[in-house]
Amino acid sequence: MTVDVTLIFLLPVKALLIASLCCLLRVLCANGQTVQGTINDRISRKPLFPVTVVNTRTLQVVYSDAHGNYVIAAENGDEITYSCIGYRKEQRIKPKSVLIATVNVDMEPIEYQLQEVRLQPGLLTRYQRDSI
């Protein structure tokens, strides 16, 4: 009975190659998923900085750069929250993707109307007079 030596040698090499590829794919899919994009003002279309970007599952926080760009780690289905002073908070769900998903966000400005304040000279406290 003769056994082919090359066949015996190739089987472990093939198994090792397949195992290595499986491990590589698992690492890439599990740890390498990210969301990236640009955050702009909805009206002026100018980039917003600094916008706080939070992955609500992991509580990881990043900030947009001066060009409105951001990158944050997230898995499929994670909720990402975008907030900036003077703008309405936005929330998005990471779409299904293998590694990188692009989510561009346009944030709506909030306008505040302050009530009128009248100062009457005879009724001011010392603190109020010092503050004027």
Side-chain angles (χ1 to χ4, degrees):
M1 181 172 193
T2 27
V3 177
D4 191 4
V5 177
T6 55
L7 183 62
I8 294 174
F9 177 73
L10 286 179
L11 284 177
V13 171
K14 276 186 177 181
L16 183 63
L17 244 167
I18 290 172
S20 298
L21 284 174
C22 289
C23 288
L24 179 63
L25 284 174
R26 183 167 185 222
V27 166
L28 285 175
C29 291
N31 297 329
Q33 293 189 16
T34 60
V35 175
Q36 68 179 16
T38 304
I39 307 167
N40 295 312
D41 181 292
R42 184 171 286 157
I43 296 170
S44 70
R45 311 302 288 165
K46 291 183 180 179
L48 291 178
F49 165 77
V51 176
T52 304
V53 182
V54 180
N55 181 330
T56 56
R57 182 184 61 82
T58 64
L59 301 179
Q60 178 186 8
V61 177
V62 298
Y63 300 94
S64 63
D65 65 14
H67 303 288
N69 299 318
Y70 73 95
V71 177
I72 190 167
E75 294 180 8
N76 293 332
D78 282 359
E79 182 180 70
I80 310 297
T81 302
Y82 306 84
S83 59
C84 185
I85 295 174
Y87 290 86
R88 292 195 193 285
K89 185 185 288 188
E90 299 281 339
Q91 295 177 328
R92 300 287 191 277
I93 303 295
K94 181 191 179 287
K96 291 185 179 181
S97 66
V98 177
L99 294 175
I100 299 172
T102 300
V103 178
N104 296 321
V105 178
D106 292 327
M107 296 188 74
E108 182 180 348
I110 299 173
E111 294 183 19
Y112 295 100
Q113 182 66 37
L114 299 177
Q115 294 179 349
E116 181 179 337
V117 176
R118 290 188 180 187
L119 301 176
Q120 297 176 355
L123 302 175
L124 297 178
T125 65
R126 182 176 175 200
Y127 176 78
Q128 290 170 329
R129 282 191 301 269
D130 290 343
S131 297
I132 301 179

